[in-house]
Amino acid sequence: MTDSSGIDPELVERARDRFTQAFGAEPSPKIAVAPGRVNLIGEHTDYNDGFVLPMAIGRSIVLVFRPRGDRALRGCSVAYDETKELDLDALAPPGGSDWLSYVAGVAWAFATEGLVVPGLDVVVDGDVPLGAGLSSSAALEMATARALADAAALEWDPVRMARLGQKAENQYVGMNCGIMDQFASAVSRAGHALLLDCRSLDTRPVPLPEEAAVVVMDTGARRSLAGSAYNDRRAACERVVAHLRGLDPGVRALRDVTLELLEDAKDDLDPTDLMRARHVVPENARPVHMADALQVGRLEQAGRLMNDSHSSLRDLYEVSCEELDLITDIARGQASCFGARMTGAGFGGCAVALVKAAETGPFCDAVLSAYEEKIDLPAALYPCRPMAGARLLD
Ligand code: ADP
Ligand code: MG
């Protein structure tokens, strides 16, 4: 169970004990935590310079740390049950993609901006499921950044730290991710989702009404987005932009395209490319509309937007799959559900539902049993309220 801060006290104890075992009890270490996230709406809009609406969830990376007098980075992972060491003065991209590389990558990113970090002993633990699309990687980066900022006596600047986390993942780990995950994990405010403009990086905290809960529904399907399908979608968006720029030089990304402009040009576009753009253009308006709906407590309207987003991803962008369609259908069949959609890149992973908070338990039971009747995969449901971004525990 998590307390109101969203951190499981037993998890914190376990991580602290592991630290004592690995590195000794004195002087007393500190603890940085950072949450995973789920994207409520705005899918495949990030690389089109558009809007997303992620929310930090009550599952986090817990990083116990203590500065050292030398330049060693010694890390111990509870999940992988191993301890390893790196020399901070010898870090260079591409580093690697094992768990310690996420920590080292952030240290490297700090160094690229002249931020001097001391050597460190760290224990990494957490309860964000790995590789499920809830961004355990960004949580690990932001917990690391929080720890390094403290160890280097830097003022905590969540926006700068989110950028450094992305730089670490892109360049040091070699994963080409957008900026949303690090923003959600660093900048989020408790009780609020985070509307993010992926072009300007402006954010707006959006209160989630008390009577609503978000349920993450992991289908158990792990057909990770075939790199080729993702690249195809991006290439389609770029071709449409290239064509429309000929008609309107102000078009830099699909973010700048109106449905009118798109429909005017439809005869000159490849039919599949047109279909992809017909998802992105309206989808890009949905995060702002959903933020406005949540702000004034219009949960039915927010739910309808989620349903629309799912249909569009399924029929126009063609990135859903049988398991995601099934679990969102079952969710919507519950009277307590306002709306549901796939979340993340697609072809497996998680869906997300907006649900009456008081009925979350029965909702989860009903969805899980109906899903498991049809699909033989290890599904899991996580009820969530919005949590605060990366911070130090007292
Ligand atoms: P996602 O971000 O969707 O969870 P990724 O593949 O991007 O999946 O990141 C998962 C990686 O992050 C893991 O392979 C591991 O290297 C690192 N990681 C995440 N959580 C932990 C953890 N609790 N302990 C150690 N490493 C972790
Ligand atoms: Mg990740």
Side-chain angles (χ1 to χ4, degrees):
M1 273 310 292
T2 56
D3 64 15
S4 60
S5 73
I7 309 291
D8 180 347
E10 283 177 20
L11 172 60
V12 174
E13 269 324 296
R14 180 173 81 183
R16 208 196 290 272
D17 288 349
R18 190 58 173 260
F19 189 93
T20 304
Q21 262 175 35
F23 305 118
E26 297 297 331
S28 189
K30 291 185 174 180
I31 302 180
V33 297
R37 63 92 191 97
V38 62
N39 188 25
L40 298 181
I41 205 158
E43 215 63 74
H44 290 279
T45 49
D46 57 345
Y47 53 82
N48 288 297
D49 268 7
F51 290 90
V52 291
L53 184 63
M55 176 187 120
I57 61 175
R59 286 177 168 259
S60 302
I61 291 286
V62 172
L63 194 132
V64 188
F65 67 99
R66 182 170 62 208
R68 298 171 52 89
D70 60 14
R71 303 289 300 148
L73 170 65
R74 290 200 300 172
C76 166
S77 158
V78 175
Y80 293 93
D81 194 19
E82 63 176 357
T83 302
K84 17 191 195 184
E85 182 165 336
L86 287 169
D87 176 357
L88 284 179
D89 290 329
L91 303 180
S97 55
D98 64 305
W99 62 273
L100 191 58
S101 291
Y102 289 87
V103 179
V106 176
W108 166 80
F110 268 58
T112 62
E113 296 204 351
L115 304 174
V116 180
V117 298
L120 221 55
D121 289 334
V122 303
V123 161
V124 175
D125 203 351
D127 58 1
V128 190
L130 275 69
L134 299 179
S135 216
S136 64
S137 59
L140 177 51
E141 289 149 16
M142 292 303 97
T144 300
R146 191 69 197 81
L148 292 181
D150 185 72
L154 279 176
E155 202 178 320
W156 179 243
D157 176 348
V159 170
R160 182 182 194 191
M161 294 299 141
R163 285 168 169 280
L164 287 179
Q166 185 199 23
K167 185 175 185 180
E169 189 154 343
N170 289 168
Q171 297 183 34
Y172 193 89
V173 179
M175 280 291 298
N176 192 13
C177 60
I179 189 74
M180 167 173 74
D181 302 348
Q182 289 80 9
F183 255 76
S185 187
V187 180
S188 290
R189 191 192 283 182
H192 295 70
L194 189 75
L195 180 65
L196 168 65
D197 178 337
C198 295
R199 174 175 279 169
S200 67
L201 299 186
D202 286 344
T203 57
R204 172 181 140 203
V206 179
L208 184 74
E210 285 289 334
E211 62 272 27
V214 164
V215 178
V216 174
M217 308 184 291
D218 186 348
T219 60
R222 289 285 178 279
R223 275 169 300 178
S224 65
L225 179 61
S228 63
Y230 181 80
N231 292 338
D232 283 354
R233 299 304 183 280
R234 287 192 72 144
C237 294
E238 282 163 21
R239 281 192 297 271
V240 174
V241 168
H243 179 76
L244 296 180
R245 191 181 294 134
L247 306 177
D248 176 352
V251 172
R252 286 157 54 202
L254 283 183
R255 147 73 173 270
D256 304 309
V257 172
T258 60
L259 267 184
E260 292 70 38
L261 180 63
L262 187 61
E263 296 307 320
D264 283 349
K266 69 174 190 289
D267 295 337
D268 301 321
L269 292 169
D270 171 84
T272 305
D273 290 356
L274 175 64
M275 212 160 72
R276 305 300 185 232
R278 279 177 171 159
H279 161 70
V280 174
V281 172
E283 180 74 1
N284 191 42
R286 289 189 185 110
V288 179
H289 290 152
M290 182 157 167
D292 292 344
L294 290 176
Q295 193 93 41
V296 295
R298 294 208 177 114
L299 294 167
E300 280 83 8
Q301 189 188 342
R304 274 197 301 278
L305 287 161
M306 293 172 82
N307 295 343
D308 293 347
S309 169
H310 186 82
S311 306
S312 175
L313 288 157
R314 181 191 58 209
D315 302 335
L316 298 174
Y317 221 59
E318 297 183 303
V319 291
S320 188
C321 64
E322 182 194 353
E323 293 87 354
L324 287 167
D325 290 343
L326 177 67
I327 211 160
T328 48
D329 274 350
I330 296 170
R332 288 181 207 148
Q334 312 303 312
S336 52
C337 180
F338 297 107
R341 58 181 288 275
M342 57 159 276
T343 183
F347 299 116
C350 294
V352 59
L354 188 67
V355 175
K356 287 183 185 154
E359 292 169 46
T360 309
F363 171 87
C364 290
D365 293 344
V367 172
L368 195 58
S369 66
Y371 182 77
E372 285 180 339
E373 237 167 62
K374 296 219 162 120
I375 304 264
D376 183 25
L377 283 172
L381 273 72
Y382 308 111
C384 307
R385 284 282 308 165
M387 292 299 157
R391 61 206 184 277
L392 295 176
L393 295 186
D394 299 332

